[in-house]
Amino acid sequence: LQIFTCYRHDDVHSVLRDSEQFSSSTSAQVTGPMFGRTIIEMDPPEHTEHRALVNWAFRKRGLTRWQEELIRPKARELVEAFADDGHAELMRQFCVPYPVQVIAGILGLPPDDYPRFLRWAMHLISFAADYESARRASAELADYFAAVLAERRRDGRWHVLGDGSGVVQRDLYSAFLAAVADKSAIHSIRAASR
């Protein structure tokens, strides 16, 4: 497996536009055993089809809705939980739970399950240090999402991934998994809070 790092804008643009020479499918060799098949390792046209299932929720109108209904209120809720203490352990009390809870909220998952998502996310993020725990977390999360999707298909409830007609279990699972397993949101929040 050859890995290249590009820094210049033109190089990055070229790599992202040339899926034949720089296929995203190589990600499967690194993340596939843990996360299964996700949109991250798909090339066009498959990537385009899967992205279309979620794109509409992240356009300006959708993002405005999330900002007002979920993103700001969730930040406020987490900060209010420690504000009266006069201090906080920001990584544990805000930076880590915030993106996990926002993603779970966007996917319409119940707040009572947030502690489980956080536990799964921490195992998945740490897969290089404890592979077996991460594999167990991945399997538990896949089982959880299978049940959620089956219930949504039965009752016809809306969710961020569309009406269910083109969505498979792995799409819901992969959307959550790809987001929580990416540490960049957590570290960006930490850096902004300094």
Side-chain angles (χ1 to χ4, degrees):
L1 174 66
Q2 284 187 306
I3 297 175
F4 299 92
T5 304
C6 298
Y7 297 100
R8 292 179 344 139
H9 178 270
D10 291 342
D11 293 339
V12 171
H13 185 75
S14 295
V15 167
L16 291 174
R17 298 286 176 236
D18 186 354
S19 60
E20 280 195 34
Q21 189 166 357
F22 301 102
S23 175
S24 296
S25 66
T26 58
S27 296
Q29 295 171 27
V30 177
T31 60
M34 182 59 54
F35 304 128
R37 184 150 171 77
T38 68
I39 195 169
I40 294 168
E41 64 194 51
M42 295 177 189
D43 290 316
E46 183 183 27
H47 179 273
T48 308
E49 292 165 7
H50 283 255
R51 186 172 174 171
L53 293 171
V54 296
N55 246 9
W56 65 272
F58 298 99
R59 290 195 177 108
K60 186 174 181 175
R61 190 171 53 162
L63 289 175
T64 300
R65 176 180 160 217
W66 298 129
Q67 186 78 12
E68 299 305 318
E69 294 178 13
L70 180 66
I71 295 169
R72 283 190 183 130
K74 181 52 62 185
R76 197 171 296 116
E77 174 190 322
L78 290 170
V79 169
E80 286 173 358
F82 60 75
D84 290 341
D85 298 340
H87 61 86
E89 204 289 88
L90 281 178
M91 284 300 286
R92 184 177 55 78
Q93 292 177 275
F94 187 82
C95 298
V96 173
Y98 181 66
V100 173
Q101 291 183 18
V102 167
I103 293 161
I106 288 172
L107 293 175
L109 303 172
D112 289 346
D113 288 344
Y114 289 177
R116 289 177 13 177
F117 300 138
L118 188 55
R119 180 177 53 80
W120 288 326
M122 291 301 92
H123 285 297
L124 292 168
I125 287 170
S126 305
F127 78 91
D130 188 349
Y131 189 78
E132 285 310 310
S133 290
R135 288 200 41 95
R136 280 192 301 277
S138 179
E140 290 171 17
L141 192 56
D143 291 344
Y144 174 85
F145 278 127
V148 167
L149 214 56
E151 179 183 326
R152 289 180 180 184
R153 284 185 176 134
R154 276 193 306 276
D155 66 18
R157 271 191 297 155
W158 173 91
H159 57 86
V160 74
L161 294 173
D163 63 6
S165 59
V167 179
V168 296
Q169 168 190 334
R170 296 296 294 191
D171 291 318
L172 180 58
Y173 169 67
S174 294
F176 183 81
L177 199 55
V180 301
D182 180 5
K183 297 182 217 178
S184 61
I186 292 168
H187 293 295
S188 295
I189 293 167
R190 183 188 68 186
S193 66
R194 288 184 178 170

